């Protein structure tokens, strides 16, 4: 799964807004908010933003505050994905899988047996990959939609909304079809004190940053064994495919073969 490197540069920028901004009326965050929160995230590094991301709107189609909202949301989102990927990599590397079959009668055990997590993704049938990617696309569309956000009383993160906020499915339930749960909605959150909520938001950012580094370290070690100090002895299965390519040679889809023949999986 792709991880955005432009968020890594902001990983040390302390980009979490004060709780009053996140919980109150929509307020555009400024660079001063990032500087104020930096010591709470990492008191040793503090505010460190060598690329000056979000500090100016020169050459951009958006103003600085909108850019900050975009980068803030990107880091939170990619941190969440990386946390799931980090745990998933460990689970899959240890041969843990569902005991039943996927559609088409292919056992999960057969997919698990082909190698590490990246090789297991390559072994998923093309239809399965398209279903997974299609679900991700649908969730992205829902999370970015102004209608879904407005139904929760929220705004888009580039227009004064809360970075990291994902709308509930209440509108979908009322107008389309019942759904069992909401994403990123913990029943414990409503019982937390403001201080505990603020601390939890900081913890989420820091855990996401660590997970982004961790999953990239796992993938690097799988692709180039011995490239990551400390991981060569933990038994990460080598991977000879293209880590950043969503499809492999076994996928009979338009342009896939051309993509794979262009440099390093079509990316470099």
């Amino acid at each position: 799964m792709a991880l955005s490197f432009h968020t890594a540069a902001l990983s040390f920028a302390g980009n979490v807004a004060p709780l009053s901004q996140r919980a109150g009326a929509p307020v555009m965050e400024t660079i001063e908010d990032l500087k104020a929160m930096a010591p709470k995230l990492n008191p040793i590094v503090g505010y460190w933003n060598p690329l000056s991301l979000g500090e100016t709107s020169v050459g951009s189609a958006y103003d600085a505050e909108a850019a900050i909202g975009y980068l803030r949301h990107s880091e939170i989102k990619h941190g969440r994905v990386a946390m799931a990927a980090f745990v998933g990599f460990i689970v899959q590397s240890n041969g843990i899988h569902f005991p039943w079959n996927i559609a088409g009668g292919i056992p999960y055990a057969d997919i698990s047996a082909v190698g590490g997590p990246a090789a297991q993704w390559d072994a998923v049938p093309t239809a399965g990959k398209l279903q997974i990617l299609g679900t991700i696309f649908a969730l992205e569309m829902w999370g970015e939609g102004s209608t879904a956000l407005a139904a929760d009383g929220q705004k888009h993160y580039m227009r004064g909304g809360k970075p990291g906020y994902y709308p509930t499915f209440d509108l979908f339930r009322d107008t389309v079809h019942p759904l069992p749960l909401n994403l990123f909605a913990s029943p414990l959150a409503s019982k937390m004190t403001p201080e505990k909520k603020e601390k939890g938001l900081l913890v989420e950012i820091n855990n996401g940053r660590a997970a982004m580094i961790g999953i990239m370290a796992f993938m690097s070690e799988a692709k180039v064994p011995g490239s990551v100090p400390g991981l060569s002895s933990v038994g990460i299965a080598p991977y000879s495919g293209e880590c950043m390519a969503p499809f492999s040679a076994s996928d009979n889809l338009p342009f896939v073969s051309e993509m794979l023949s262009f440099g390093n999986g079509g990316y470099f």
Side-chain angles (χ1 to χ4, degrees), residues 8-14 38 45-51 55:
L10 205 63
S11 293
F12 301 96
V45 175
Y47 181 78
W48 187 67
N49 185 10
L51 297 181
E55 293 186 357

Side-chain angles (χ1 to χ4, degrees), residues 138-227:
L139 291 173
E140 283 287 292
M141 292 294 290
W142 186 260
E144 294 287 327
S146 57
T147 302
L149 289 166
D152 286 357
Q154 301 292 330
K155 292 185 177 182
H156 193 271
Y157 50 84
M158 293 181 69
R159 297 180 178 90
K162 301 176 186 177
Y165 181 83
Y166 192 87
T168 66
F169 295 125
D170 293 344
L171 179 63
F172 190 91
R173 291 189 186 94
D174 294 340
T175 59
V176 182
H177 192 276
L179 289 174
L181 47 81
N182 293 313
L183 294 181
F184 311 116
S186 170
L188 301 177
S190 60
K191 302 178 181 179
M192 295 171 63
T193 64
E195 293 77 15
K196 195 169 184 179
K197 276 188 177 182
E198 182 177 15
K199 183 178 180 181
L201 293 170
L202 298 176
V203 169
E204 181 186 33
I205 292 290
N206 280 333
N207 286 348
R209 292 173 177 177
M212 283 189 273
I213 296 173
I215 188 60
M216 292 306 297
F218 282 164
M219 295 304 296
S220 297
E221 179 63 28
K223 184 65 176 176
V224 185
S227 62

Side-chain angles (χ1 to χ4, degrees), residues 60-135:
S60 173
Y62 309 106
D63 57 32
E65 287 75 17
I68 289 172
Y70 170 78
L71 293 169
R72 285 270 288 108
H73 189 82
S74 295
E75 182 180 37
I76 294 171
K77 178 191 291 185
H78 286 85
R80 289 169 178 168
V81 172
M83 285 187 276
F86 185 87
V87 174
F89 195 100
I90 294 173
V91 170
Q92 291 176 247
S93 294
N94 284 277
I96 301 173
H97 57 80
F98 292 119
W100 49 79
N101 298 345
I102 66 173
I106 301 174
Y108 277 102
D110 289 356
I111 295 177
S112 178
V114 301
Q120 292 174 33
W121 169 258
D122 289 346
V124 173
T126 303
K129 293 177 183 176
L130 292 176
Q131 290 174 22
I132 293 171
L133 295 174
T135 300

Side-chain angles (χ1 to χ4, degrees), residues 250-264:
S250 62
D251 296 306
N252 186 20
L253 293 172
F255 308 115
V256 169
S257 59
E258 289 83 357
M259 177 190 72
L260 294 173
S261 64
F262 182 75
N264 184 18

